[in-house]
Each structure stands twice: as C-alpha cells, then as structure tokens.
Amino acid sequence: PQRSDYFDKLRQRMVQHQLRNRGIADERVLQAMGTVPREEFVSKGAQGDAYEDCPLPIGFGQTISQPFTVACQCEALQLQANERVLEVGTGSGYAAAVLSHLAKEVYTVERVPKLATQARATLRRLGYANVHVFSTDGTLGLPAHSPFDGIVVTAGGSQLPQPFLEQLAMGGRIVMPIGEYLGSQMMYRFTKLPDELHVENLGGFAFVPLIGRYGWD
Ligand code: SAM
C-alpha cells in the first residue's frame, strides 16, 4: 500500500503540473489520467520515471508518449463516454487504458506483435475489459469493427490514410500527427461533416514514425 500511495502522489502531481497548469481543461481527461497507473505500463527499471515529463522506452525502438501528449490527443477527440474509438499504435497500452475511461469501446492496433501481446496482458491484468488489442498494420484501420466515432494515431504519418476516412462515422474526429519521418509533425484534427472534412492544426509534436501501407515504408 505504501508503494501505491507513493505512485498516487506522483500521479496527482503530474496531473496538476504537467496537464492542468499547461492548459488541459477536460475534467474527464484529467480524471482518467489521475486514475490510470502509468507505472504498470513501463519496465520495472523505469517505474521511478513513470510520472516524469517525457516519453519512456518500451522496447523495439518504441516509446510510451509523454503524459502531456497523451492528454492533448485524448482531449482533442472530444469524447463524451458513448463512443467507439480506434487507436493506431498501442505501444504499452497506456493511452488505450486512458481512452477506456473516456469512451465505451476502444479498439487498438499495434504493428509489433510482441508489443501487442504485452499490452494485451497488461490491460487484462489491470481489468480494462473494454479495450480490444489487435496486431496488424493499423494504417488499414479495422474495417470489421468500424465505424468509429474517434480515431487517434500515436505515430507520425506522411498523409491521412484513406481507410480512416471510410471507417469514420459522420461527426467523428481523427486526431493524427502528420509531417516528417523523424521527430517533427503537426497534430491535426479532421472532423467528418456532411459536406466537408473540417481540418484544424493543433500544433507541433514529435512522434516515432507510422510505418505501413498508408504510412512510411
Ligand atoms: N500509445 C502508446 C502508449 O501509450 O504506450 C505509445 C505509442 S508509440 C509512441 C507508437 C506506436 O505505434 C509504436 O508502438 C509503433 O510500433 C506503432 N506503430 C507504428 N506504425 C504502426 C502501424 N502502421 N500500425 C500499428 N502500429 C504502428
């Protein structure tokens, strides 16, 4: 219990200093990030750094995104609770766990099979029953489980994959970083409206590359 009290304190401090003070305002996002035990999604050796203001390595050259980045993406999806969400880039499963508090069902896709297996085990152990983990090329979406009210991409792409548009419900949002291969992208929100695809630029971020049929080679 002492150990979990310790992480609880670090988590509440992270929510205040890294999220609230920097402009994250959606109370449901703040509540979710104040609940999900980020220390359970990193290796034992990195648990002490779980609430630091940075991404952390999860193996296979991949990372768990900085808490602020996860919060920005979740907030940008504008979730109310009843949505079906697709996440492309499961990684550790941490962001999927946060999304599971914000939406009804979360479908998440990871291209590295061992990361998918590990994330599935972590999410099951922690009891996140509304998260479904798949291992395939996420740039193809998950046609069998579409339509989605929200699609969030946690790796940087070169373009908006056509399958995402086809699998997005009317009124739905896609939140995705698009830009260079390494380290510099703009985060976009695409909203599907009856007569247009509304596009907003949410600012600069740095993600690992999105690799696949509609991503980088
Ligand atoms: N959301 C994750 C978390 O909470 O730990 C962090 C994701 S990490 C920044 C990006 C992930 O996207 C990596 O695990 C990478 O293997 C994965 N990825 C890259 N291209 C992909 C693709 N086409 N389909 C699915 N996953 C992909």
Side-chain angles (χ1 to χ4, degrees):
Q2 204 174 350
R3 198 176 145 75
S4 116
D5 281 0
Y6 170 72
F7 284 120
D8 286 348
K9 262 197 201 107
L10 291 181
R11 191 178 315 115
Q12 297 320 315
R13 202 187 296 167
M14 178 266 291
V15 168
Q16 184 63 41
H17 294 278
Q18 300 177 36
L19 308 183
R20 212 183 268 281
N21 290 356
R22 285 193 202 146
I24 302 297
D26 184 330
E27 289 296 335
R28 295 179 68 245
V29 172
L30 293 164
Q31 177 76 35
M33 295 204 50
T35 304
V36 177
R38 189 170 159 94
E39 71 276 10
E40 299 288 345
F41 293 85
V42 301
S43 65
K44 283 263 182 301
Q47 288 196 328
D49 293 329
Y51 295 97
E52 293 296 311
D53 187 17
C54 59
L56 294 171
I58 55 174
F60 306 93
Q62 305 302 328
T63 56
I64 171 173
S65 303
Q66 184 183 3
F68 179 71
T69 302
V70 176
C72 281
Q73 290 199 294
C74 288
E75 186 169 63
L77 283 171
Q78 302 170 311
L79 300 170
Q80 308 285 329
N82 279 319
E83 296 86 352
R84 297 158 50 78
V85 173
L86 171 67
E87 179 197 30
V88 176
T90 313
S92 66
Y94 172 73
V98 174
L99 288 166
S100 82
H101 286 273
L102 303 172
K104 189 166 175 205
E105 297 294 335
V106 179
Y107 296 84
T108 181
V109 191
E110 170 57 53
R111 69 179 279 275
V112 179
K114 281 191 176 161
L115 283 177
T117 303
Q118 207 169 291
R120 194 180 290 119
T122 306
L123 290 160
R124 180 170 302 172
R125 176 166 57 81
L126 297 173
Y128 291 102
N130 62 340
V131 181
H132 316 282
V133 182
F134 298 80
S135 186
T136 178
D137 173 6
T139 68
L140 303 172
L142 280 180
H145 298 279
S146 68
F148 300 102
D149 306 293
I151 298 178
V152 59
V153 187
T154 68
S158 50
Q159 54 170 321
L160 176 62
Q162 183 65 28
F164 294 176
L165 283 178
E166 290 161 6
Q167 294 172 35
L168 189 66
M170 190 53 69
R173 282 83 55 199
I174 299 170
V175 174
M176 173 174 184
I178 298 177
E180 292 167 17
Y181 179 74
L182 274 184
S184 171
Q185 301 95 18
M186 288 294 174
M187 186 91 74
Y188 292 95
R189 174 169 56 205
F190 302 92
T191 307
K192 191 175 190 170
L193 301 176
D195 46 6
E196 66 158 330
L197 183 68
H198 184 63
V199 186
E200 294 158 276
N201 184 335
L202 307 180
F205 285 83
F207 283 86
V208 297
L210 178 72
I211 296 164
R213 168 79 176 77
Y214 294 93
W216 301 98
D217 292 334

Coordinates of all heavy atoms in Angstrom, one line a residue, residues 38 41 55-56 58-66 69-70 73 87-99 108-113 115-116 119 134-141 152-156 164 206-216, ligand 1:
R38 N 0.3 4.6 -14.6 CA 1.3 4.6 -15.7 C 2.5 3.7 -15.4 O 3.1 3.1 -16.3 CB 1.7 6.1 -15.9 CG 2.6 6.3 -17.2 CD 2.7 7.8 -17.4 NE 3.9 8.2 -18.2 CZ 3.9 8.3 -19.5 NH1 2.8 8.2 -20.2 NH2 5.0 8.6 -20.1
F41 N 2.8 0.3 -16.9 CA 2.9 0.2 -18.4 C 4.4 0.3 -18.8 O 4.7 0.3 -20.0 CB 2.0 1.2 -19.1 CG 0.6 0.9 -18.9 CD1 -0.1 1.3 -17.8 CD2 -0.1 0.1 -19.9 CE1 -1.5 1.0 -17.6 CE2 -1.5 -0.2 -19.7 CZ -2.1 0.3 -18.6
P55 N 8.7 11.1 -22.8 CA 8.4 9.7 -23.3 C 9.4 8.7 -22.6 O 10.4 9.1 -22.2 CB 8.6 9.8 -24.8 CG 9.4 11.0 -25.0 CD 9.4 11.9 -23.8
L56 N 9.0 7.5 -22.6 CA 9.9 6.4 -22.0 C 10.0 5.3 -22.9 O 9.0 4.9 -23.6 CB 9.3 5.9 -20.7 CG 9.2 6.9 -19.5 CD1 8.4 6.3 -18.3 CD2 10.6 7.3 -19.0
I58 N 9.9 1.6 -24.4 CA 9.2 0.3 -24.1 C 9.7 -0.9 -24.9 O 9.1 -1.9 -25.0 CB 7.7 0.5 -24.4 CG1 7.4 1.0 -25.9 CG2 7.0 1.5 -23.4 CD1 5.9 1.0 -26.3
G59 N 10.9 -0.7 -25.5 CA 11.5 -1.8 -26.3 C 11.1 -1.6 -27.8 O 10.3 -0.9 -28.1
F60 N 11.8 -2.4 -28.6 CA 11.6 -2.4 -30.1 C 11.8 -1.0 -30.7 O 11.1 -0.7 -31.7 CB 10.2 -3.0 -30.4 CG 10.0 -4.4 -29.8 CD1 9.4 -4.5 -28.6 CD2 10.5 -5.5 -30.5 CE1 9.2 -5.7 -28.0 CE2 10.3 -6.7 -29.9 CZ 9.7 -6.9 -28.7
G61 N 12.6 -0.2 -30.1 CA 12.8 1.2 -30.6 C 11.6 2.1 -30.4 O 11.5 3.2 -31.0
Q62 N 10.6 1.7 -29.6 CA 9.3 2.4 -29.4 C 9.3 3.1 -28.1 O 10.1 2.8 -27.2 CB 8.1 1.5 -29.7 CG 8.2 0.8 -31.0 CD 8.2 1.7 -32.2 OE1 7.7 2.8 -32.1 NE2 8.9 1.3 -33.3
T63 N 8.3 4.0 -27.9 CA 8.2 4.7 -26.7 C 6.7 4.8 -26.2 O 5.8 4.6 -27.0 CB 8.6 6.2 -26.8 OG1 7.9 6.8 -27.9 CG2 10.1 6.2 -27.1
I64 N 6.5 5.0 -24.9 CA 5.2 5.4 -24.4 C 5.3 6.9 -24.4 O 6.2 7.5 -23.9 CB 5.0 4.8 -23.0 CG1 3.8 5.3 -22.3 CG2 6.2 5.0 -22.1 CD1 3.5 4.6 -21.0
S65 N 4.3 7.6 -25.0 CA 4.3 9.0 -25.2 C 4.3 9.8 -23.9 O 3.9 9.3 -22.8 CB 3.1 9.5 -26.0 OG 3.0 8.8 -27.2
Q66 N 4.8 11.0 -23.9 CA 4.8 11.9 -22.8 C 3.4 12.1 -22.3 O 2.5 12.2 -23.1 CB 5.4 13.3 -23.3 CG 5.6 14.4 -22.4 CD 6.1 15.6 -23.1 OE1 6.2 15.6 -24.3 NE2 6.3 16.7 -22.4
T69 N 1.3 14.7 -24.1 CA 0.9 14.4 -25.4 C -0.3 13.5 -25.4 O -1.2 13.7 -26.2 CB 2.1 13.7 -26.1 OG1 3.2 14.6 -26.1 CG2 1.8 13.3 -27.6
V70 N -0.3 12.5 -24.5 CA -1.5 11.6 -24.4 C -2.7 12.4 -24.0 O -3.8 12.3 -24.6 CB -1.2 10.5 -23.3 CG1 -2.5 9.7 -23.1 CG2 0.0 9.7 -23.6
Q73 N -4.0 14.5 -27.1 CA -4.7 13.7 -28.1 C -6.1 13.3 -27.6 O -7.1 13.3 -28.3 CB -3.9 12.5 -28.4 CG -2.6 12.8 -29.2 CD -2.0 11.7 -30.0 OE1 -1.6 10.7 -29.4 NE2 -2.1 11.7 -31.3
E87 N -7.6 3.3 -31.8 CA -6.2 3.8 -31.6 C -5.3 3.1 -32.5 O -5.2 1.8 -32.4 CB -5.8 3.7 -30.1 CG -4.4 4.2 -29.9 CD -3.7 3.8 -28.6 OE1 -4.0 2.7 -28.1 OE2 -2.8 4.6 -28.1
V88 N -4.5 3.8 -33.2 CA -3.4 3.2 -34.0 C -2.1 3.4 -33.4 O -1.6 4.6 -33.2 CB -3.4 3.7 -35.5 CG1 -2.3 3.1 -36.3 CG2 -4.8 3.4 -36.1
G89 N -1.4 2.3 -32.9 CA -0.2 2.5 -32.2 C -0.4 2.2 -30.7 O -0.3 3.1 -29.9
T90 N -0.6 0.9 -30.3 CA -0.9 0.5 -29.0 C 0.3 0.8 -28.0 O 0.1 1.2 -26.9 CB -1.3 -1.0 -28.9 OG1 -2.3 -1.3 -29.9 CG2 -1.8 -1.4 -27.5
G91 N 1.5 0.4 -28.5 CA 2.7 0.5 -27.7 C 2.5 -0.2 -26.4 O 2.2 -1.4 -26.5
S92 N 2.6 0.4 -25.3 CA 2.5 -0.2 -24.0 C 1.0 -0.5 -23.6 O 0.8 -1.3 -22.7 CB 3.1 0.7 -22.9 OG 2.3 1.9 -22.8
G93 N 0.1 0.2 -24.3 CA -1.3 0.1 -23.9 C -1.8 1.2 -22.9 O -2.9 1.3 -22.6
Y94 N -0.8 2.1 -22.5 CA -1.2 3.1 -21.6 C -2.3 4.1 -22.1 O -3.3 4.3 -21.4 CB 0.1 3.9 -21.2 CG -0.3 5.2 -20.4 CD1 -0.7 5.0 -19.0 CD2 -0.2 6.5 -20.9 CE1 -1.0 6.1 -18.3 CE2 -0.6 7.6 -20.2 CZ -1.0 7.4 -18.8 OH -1.3 8.5 -18.1
A95 N -2.1 4.6 -23.3 CA -3.1 5.5 -23.9 C -4.5 4.8 -24.0 O -5.5 5.4 -23.8 CB -2.6 6.2 -25.2
A96 N -4.4 3.6 -24.4 CA -5.7 2.8 -24.6 C -6.4 2.7 -23.2 O -7.6 2.8 -23.2 CB -5.4 1.4 -25.1
A97 N -5.6 2.5 -22.2 CA -6.2 2.5 -20.8 C -6.9 3.8 -20.5 O -8.0 3.9 -19.9 CB -5.2 2.1 -19.8
V98 N -6.2 4.9 -20.8 CA -6.8 6.2 -20.6 C -8.1 6.4 -21.4 O -9.1 6.8 -20.8 CB -5.8 7.4 -20.9 CG1 -6.4 8.7 -20.8 CG2 -4.5 7.3 -20.0
L99 N -8.0 6.0 -22.6 CA -9.2 6.1 -23.5 C -10.3 5.2 -23.0 O -11.5 5.6 -23.2 CB -8.8 5.7 -24.9 CG -8.0 6.7 -25.7 CD1 -7.4 6.0 -27.0 CD2 -8.8 7.9 -26.1
T108 N -7.6 -1.1 -30.4 CA -6.3 -0.5 -30.6 C -5.4 -1.5 -31.4 O -5.5 -2.7 -31.2 CB -5.7 -0.2 -29.2 OG1 -4.4 0.4 -29.4 CG2 -5.6 -1.3 -28.2
V109 N -4.6 -1.0 -32.3 CA -3.8 -1.8 -33.2 C -2.3 -1.5 -33.1 O -2.0 -0.3 -33.1 CB -4.2 -1.4 -34.7 CG1 -3.6 -2.5 -35.6 CG2 -5.7 -1.4 -34.8
E110 N -1.5 -2.5 -33.0 CA -0.1 -2.4 -32.9 C 0.6 -3.2 -33.9 O 0.3 -4.4 -34.0 CB 0.4 -2.7 -31.5 CG 1.9 -2.9 -31.3 CD 2.6 -1.6 -31.6 OE1 2.3 -0.5 -31.1 OE2 3.6 -1.7 -32.5
R111 N 1.6 -2.7 -34.7 CA 2.2 -3.5 -35.7 C 3.3 -4.4 -35.2 O 3.6 -5.4 -35.9 CB 2.8 -2.6 -36.9 CG 4.0 -1.8 -36.5 CD 4.5 -0.9 -37.6 NE 5.3 -1.7 -38.5 CZ 6.6 -1.9 -38.4 NH1 7.2 -1.3 -37.4 NH2 7.3 -2.6 -39.3
V112 N 3.9 -4.1 -34.0 CA 4.9 -5.1 -33.5 C 4.2 -6.1 -32.6 O 3.6 -5.8 -31.5 CB 5.9 -4.3 -32.6 CG1 6.9 -5.2 -32.0 CG2 6.6 -3.2 -33.4
P113 N 4.1 -7.4 -33.1 CA 3.3 -8.4 -32.4 C 3.6 -8.5 -30.9 O 2.7 -8.7 -30.1 CB 3.6 -9.7 -33.2 CG 4.0 -9.2 -34.5 CD 4.8 -7.9 -34.3
L115 N 4.8 -6.3 -28.8 CA 4.2 -5.2 -28.0 C 2.7 -5.4 -27.8 O 2.2 -5.1 -26.7 CB 4.5 -3.9 -28.7 CG 5.9 -3.3 -28.6 CD1 6.0 -2.0 -29.4 CD2 6.3 -3.0 -27.2
A116 N 2.0 -5.9 -28.9 CA 0.6 -6.1 -28.8 C 0.3 -7.1 -27.7 O -0.6 -7.0 -26.9 CB 0.0 -6.5 -30.1
A119 N 0.9 -5.6 -24.2 CA -0.1 -4.6 -23.9 C -1.4 -5.3 -23.5 O -2.0 -5.0 -22.5 CB -0.3 -3.7 -25.0
F134 N -5.3 -5.5 -31.2 CA -5.1 -6.3 -32.4 C -3.7 -6.0 -32.9 O -3.1 -5.0 -32.6 CB -6.0 -5.8 -33.5 CG -7.5 -6.0 -33.2 CD1 -8.2 -5.1 -32.4 CD2 -8.2 -7.1 -33.7 CE1 -9.5 -5.4 -32.0 CE2 -9.5 -7.3 -33.4 CZ -10.2 -6.5 -32.5
S135 N -3.1 -7.0 -33.6 CA -1.8 -6.8 -34.2 C -1.8 -6.9 -35.7 O -1.9 -8.0 -36.2 CB -0.8 -7.8 -33.6 OG 0.5 -7.5 -34.0
T136 N -1.7 -5.8 -36.3 CA -1.7 -5.7 -37.8 C -1.2 -4.3 -38.2 O -0.9 -3.5 -37.3 CB -3.1 -6.0 -38.3 OG1 -3.1 -5.9 -39.7 CG2 -4.2 -5.1 -37.8
D137 N -1.3 -4.0 -39.5 CA -0.9 -2.7 -40.0 C -2.1 -1.8 -39.7 O -3.1 -1.8 -40.4 CB -0.6 -2.7 -41.4 CG -0.4 -1.3 -42.0 OD1 -0.4 -0.4 -41.3 OD2 -0.2 -1.3 -43.3
G138 N -2.0 -0.9 -38.7 CA -3.1 0.0 -38.3 C -3.5 1.0 -39.4 O -4.5 1.7 -39.2
T139 N -2.6 1.3 -40.4 CA -3.0 2.3 -41.4 C -4.2 1.8 -42.2 O -4.8 2.6 -42.9 CB -1.8 2.7 -42.3 OG1 -1.4 1.6 -43.1 CG2 -0.6 3.2 -41.5
L140 N -4.4 0.5 -42.1 CA -5.6 0.0 -42.8 C -6.9 0.1 -42.0 O -8.0 -0.3 -42.5 CB -5.4 -1.5 -43.2 CG -4.1 -1.8 -44.0 CD1 -3.9 -3.3 -44.1 CD2 -4.3 -1.2 -45.4
G141 N -6.7 0.6 -40.8 CA -7.9 0.7 -39.8 C -8.3 -0.7 -39.4 O -7.5 -1.7 -39.5
V152 N -7.5 7.8 -33.2 CA -6.3 8.5 -32.8 C -5.1 7.8 -33.2 O -5.0 6.5 -33.0 CB -6.4 8.8 -31.2 CG1 -6.5 7.5 -30.4 CG2 -5.2 9.6 -30.8
V153 N -4.1 8.5 -33.7 CA -2.9 7.9 -34.2 C -1.7 8.3 -33.4 O -1.5 9.5 -33.2 CB -2.7 8.2 -35.7 CG1 -1.5 7.4 -36.3 CG2 -3.9 8.0 -36.5
T154 N -1.0 7.4 -32.8 CA 0.1 7.7 -31.8 C 1.4 7.6 -32.5 O 2.4 7.4 -31.7 CB -0.1 6.9 -30.5 OG1 0.2 5.6 -30.8 CG2 -1.5 7.0 -29.9
A155 N 1.5 7.6 -33.8 CA 2.8 7.6 -34.5 C 2.6 8.6 -35.7 O 1.5 8.9 -36.1 CB 3.1 6.2 -35.0
G156 N 3.8 9.2 -36.1 CA 3.7 10.3 -37.1 C 3.6 9.7 -38.5 O 4.5 9.0 -39.0
F164 N -9.1 5.5 -43.0 CA -9.6 6.1 -41.8 C -10.8 6.9 -42.1 O -11.8 7.0 -41.3 CB -8.5 7.1 -41.1 CG -7.3 6.4 -40.6 CD1 -6.3 7.2 -40.1 CD2 -7.2 5.0 -40.6 CE1 -5.1 6.6 -39.6 CE2 -6.1 4.4 -40.0 CZ -5.0 5.2 -39.5
A206 N 6.4 15.6 -31.6 CA 7.4 14.7 -32.1 C 7.1 13.3 -31.8 O 7.0 12.9 -30.6 CB 8.8 15.1 -31.5
F207 N 6.8 12.5 -32.8 CA 6.4 11.1 -32.7 C 7.4 10.2 -33.4 O 8.0 10.6 -34.4 CB 5.0 10.9 -33.2 CG 3.9 11.4 -32.4 CD1 3.5 12.7 -32.4 CD2 3.2 10.5 -31.5 CE1 2.4 13.1 -31.6 CE2 2.2 11.0 -30.7 CZ 1.8 12.3 -30.7
V208 N 7.4 8.9 -33.0 CA 8.0 7.9 -33.8 C 7.2 7.7 -35.1 O 6.0 8.0 -35.2 CB 8.1 6.5 -33.1 CG1 9.0 6.6 -31.8 CG2 6.8 6.0 -32.7
P209 N 7.9 7.1 -36.2 CA 7.1 7.1 -37.5 C 6.0 6.0 -37.5 O 6.1 4.9 -36.9 CB 8.2 6.7 -38.5 CG 9.4 6.3 -37.7 CD 9.3 6.8 -36.3
L210 N 5.0 6.3 -38.3 CA 3.9 5.4 -38.6 C 4.3 4.6 -39.8 O 4.5 5.2 -40.9 CB 2.6 6.2 -38.8 CG 1.4 5.4 -39.2 CD1 0.8 4.6 -38.0 CD2 0.3 6.3 -39.8
I211 N 4.5 3.3 -39.6 CA 5.0 2.5 -40.7 C 3.9 1.6 -41.2 O 3.3 0.8 -40.5 CB 6.2 1.7 -40.2 CG1 7.4 2.6 -39.8 CG2 6.7 0.7 -41.3 CD1 8.5 2.0 -39.0
G212 N 3.7 1.6 -42.5 CA 2.6 0.8 -43.1 C 2.2 1.2 -44.5 O 2.7 2.1 -45.1
R213 N 1.2 0.5 -45.0 CA 0.7 0.7 -46.3 C 0.4 2.1 -46.6 O 0.7 2.6 -47.7 CB -0.6 -0.2 -46.5 CG -1.4 0.0 -47.7 CD -0.8 -0.7 -48.9 NE -1.7 -0.6 -50.1 CZ -1.9 0.6 -50.8 NH1 -1.2 1.6 -50.5 NH2 -2.7 0.6 -51.8
Y214 N -0.3 2.8 -45.7 CA -0.6 4.2 -45.9 C 0.2 5.1 -45.0 O -0.2 6.2 -44.6 CB -2.1 4.5 -45.6 CG -3.0 3.8 -46.6 CD1 -3.5 2.5 -46.4 CD2 -3.4 4.4 -47.8 CE1 -4.3 1.9 -47.3 CE2 -4.2 3.8 -48.8 CZ -4.7 2.5 -48.5 OH -5.5 1.9 -49.4
G215 N 1.4 4.6 -44.6 CA 2.3 5.4 -43.8 C 3.7 5.4 -44.4 O 3.8 5.4 -45.7
W216 N 4.8 5.4 -43.7 CA 6.1 5.3 -44.2 C 6.4 3.9 -44.6 O 5.8 3.0 -44.0 CB 7.1 5.9 -43.2 CG 6.9 7.3 -42.8 CD1 6.2 7.7 -41.7 CD2 7.2 8.5 -43.5 NE1 6.1 9.1 -41.7 CE2 6.7 9.6 -42.8 CE3 7.9 8.7 -44.8 CZ2 6.9 10.9 -43.2 CZ3 8.0 10.1 -45.2 CH2 7.6 11.1 -44.4
Ligands
SAM1 N1 0.1 4.9 -27.3 C1 1.3 4.2 -26.9 C2 1.4 4.0 -25.4 O1 0.5 4.5 -24.7 O2 2.3 3.4 -25.0 C3 2.5 4.8 -27.5 C4 2.7 4.5 -28.9 S1 4.3 4.8 -29.6 C5 4.6 6.5 -29.5 C6 3.8 4.5 -31.3 C7 3.5 3.0 -31.6 O3 3.0 3.0 -33.0 C8 4.7 2.1 -31.6 O4 4.5 1.1 -30.7 C9 4.8 1.6 -33.1 O5 5.2 0.2 -33.2 C10 3.3 1.7 -33.5 N2 3.1 1.8 -35.0 C11 3.8 2.3 -35.9 N3 3.3 2.1 -37.2 C12 2.1 1.4 -36.9 C13 1.1 0.9 -37.8 N4 1.1 1.0 -39.1 N5 0.1 0.2 -37.2 C14 0.1 0.0 -35.9 N6 1.0 0.4 -35.0 C15 2.0 1.2 -35.5

